Each structure stands twice: as C-alpha cells, then as structure tokens.
Amino acid sequence: MWLGYVAAQMIFPENLFLKVGVPALLAFFPQTAFYSIQNDVLSPLCFGAAFICLARWLRADAPGVWLGTATGLALAATYLTKISNLPLLAVSGAVVLFKISRLAKAGKLRAAFPALAALALCASLPIGGWLAWTKCHFGDFTGTTAKIQFLGWTHKSFGEWWQHPIFTPHGLWTFVSGLMATFWQGEFLWHRQPLAAPVVDMVYAISSVGFVGVAVVALLSRSTSAPGPQRQALGFGFVSFLAAVAFLGFLSIIYDFQDCFYPSRAHPYFTSGRLMLGALIPFLLLYLYGLDRALCRVKNRWVRPLVLAGMICSC
C-alpha cells in the first residue's frame, strides 16, 4: 500500500483520486495469493520498489549513487523472488538503456557513471551468484529443466507453435480473460473448482482490458495534457505489464503439456495471474488512470470516489 501511494504521489502529484485510489484498491485487492504462504507475495513489493526507482531515473538529470544502488538491489530482489519476473527485468533494462542514451545526448553520461556502475554491480552480483549456484546444483541456469521433466512437458517444434488456439480471436480472449480473472482473484480451488464467481471474473477481465486501453489511448493522444515524466512512467508501467502477459502467452505455446492437469492439452494456457503480480502496482496505476480518463467529462466530484467504493465493495 505504501509503495502504491509513493508511486501514485510521484506520477500524479495533483490528482487526489489517484493518490488515494491506488493504495485503497491495493488494500482490498482480492488476490488469494496474499492469503497464503509462498513467494508470489514478494513480487509486488520488489518490483514495486524497482518501478519507483526507475521512474526516478527517468526524471533525474544525473542519478546519484544511492539511487543506482537501490535500483540494482530492487531489480536483483525481483529476479531472486520469482523467475517469472524475468520479463519485468528485461523491460527495466530497456529503460536504463533509454536513460543512458538520453544522458549521452545531454553530455551528462560521465556524471551518471557512478550511479550506473552501482546499479550494474548491485543487480548483477546477486543474480549472477544465484545463476551460478543453480547451474552447479541443477545443471541449468534457471533450475526449471528438472521441473519440466517431472511434469512430463515436452517442447514443441517451432512450426507447431502457430497451431496454438491463442492465435485465434476466441483463444486469445480465453487466455486474456482467464489471466485477468486469476490476476485479480487468485487460484484457490475446492474440489478442483475455482473459488471465484464467473460473473465477477468477467467484470474484472472486461474492466482491465477496457480501462488499460483507455489509459494507453490517452497517453498516445496529443490532446492529453499529461506531462512528459508522467507519460514515461505510465508507458514504462504499460510495457512492463504487457511483457508479463506476453511471457505467459509464450510459455503457453512452446510446450506440449501431455497429461498434465494444468495447463493441459485441452486448455493449453498459462492463466496463473499470480505469476505476474510483480506488475501489480504499474497495472493499478494504469487501471485507475484509465478510469479517471473515462470519467473526465463527468463534472460531479463524487462520481469517481463512488465508483472506487463500488469496486472495493465488490472485492
């Protein structure tokens, strides 16, 4: 909640609805992973901190050593928490490269070198040590080969990838809606049936696609008066969230799941929203920003708080 407030305060300093709405929605977020003991609960904390640090990188004229150190440690913690956070690190690396190019054009790269060196060391040393340990003990750098063999999955040929139903409109919506449903409500089962209402799942899926879409359109629109740093931070958040979704989609198409219960040949989709919880804070920033833009023509100041209260009650 505190990280969500800090991110919203930094990106929307004059928008009280968003500054209050992000931590409020986080407080009542119905994801069941937050009510169980596993490492998924740490992903929003680690990448939430990394997201704030990188957003500060985008704003800073010449980042300091402490910012570089904090960013590197947050990125290392993000990876060490869950390997499914790897796409978030890839996007973060692209953001750092973007900042380096901007610093080089401004002639400030030398002044930022200590911060860049601190970031690189603090991120690479823990991650490199973990990769070496995993390679030594499991024979591969990620440790996933043994798990895949235990589950009985096999790799598809490249030509077989394109036969996956995700490349059809129905299959794509099945993947996206299922992923958004578990991203919001989790994956607790009772007698192999999800403890979630299908109607509520559909509301979450449609509102997620709708409000994030509105946010992206608003960011791309020239008529939107959003300042540059706000556009950059929200753009970074959107690409992070999209990369997490694309990563699970990629995993869905490259494996033949054989007789596995989930994913399966009958339902070959990775729709475990908990695997992309690292992108939770960026997602909620986009989600509520899209809601705010969708209601921008409504002059009554109580409409937004009432809508937010209704969402919280539904959680």
Side-chain angles (χ1 to χ4, degrees), residues 52-107:
I52 292 170
C53 290
L54 287 167
R56 293 187 181 278
W57 270 82
L58 291 172
R59 292 166 174 255
D61 290 332
V65 174
W66 285 110
L67 181 58
T69 301
T71 306
L73 292 175
L75 290 174
T78 299
Y79 178 80
L80 296 178
T81 295
K82 199 86 174 177
I83 194 173
S84 59
N85 292 327
L86 186 61
L88 303 179
L89 267 67
V91 176
S92 300
V95 169
V96 173
L97 292 176
F98 171 76
K99 183 61 178 180
I100 289 174
S101 68
R102 296 291 296 271
L103 290 170
K105 289 180 180 179

Side-chain angles (χ1 to χ4, degrees), residues 191-273:
H191 294 282
R192 290 196 172 184
Q193 296 299 317
L195 291 175
V199 175
V200 178
D201 284 346
M202 190 58 61
V203 171
Y204 285 140
I206 294 174
S207 66
S208 296
V209 174
F211 290 147
V212 171
V214 170
V216 173
V217 171
L219 292 174
L220 296 176
S221 175
R222 294 182 179 180
S223 61
T224 304
S225 59
Q230 186 181 101
R231 288 177 182 269
Q232 290 178 353
L234 290 176
F236 169 37
F238 173 70
V239 176
S240 299
F241 180 71
L242 188 63
V245 174
F247 181 67
L248 295 181
F250 176 70
L251 293 180
S252 299
I253 68 174
I254 65 173
Y255 292 114
D256 183 341
F257 299 110
Q258 302 291 334
D259 297 324
C260 188
F261 165 66
Y262 165 79
S264 64
R265 284 181 170 178
H267 189 80
Y269 304 99
F270 268 95
T271 53
S272 295

Side-chain angles (χ1 to χ4, degrees), residues 7 11 22 44 47-48 51 88 212 233-234 236-241 277-288:
I11 299 172
V22 172
F47 188 70
F51 176 80
L88 303 179
V212 171
L234 290 176
F236 169 37
F238 173 70
V239 176
S240 299
F241 180 71
L277 280 177
L280 178 59
I281 290 177
F283 167 78
L284 289 182
L285 290 167
L286 286 162
Y287 184 87
L288 289 177

Side-chain angles (χ1 to χ4, degrees), residues 15 17 37 44 52 86 97-98 113 125 134 207-208 215 274 304 311:
N15 193 318
F17 168 70
I37 301 176
I52 292 170
L86 186 61
L97 292 176
F98 171 76
F113 181 78
L125 290 179
T134 307
S207 66
S208 296
R274 60 184 174 80
R304 289 173 177 80
M311 295 170 57

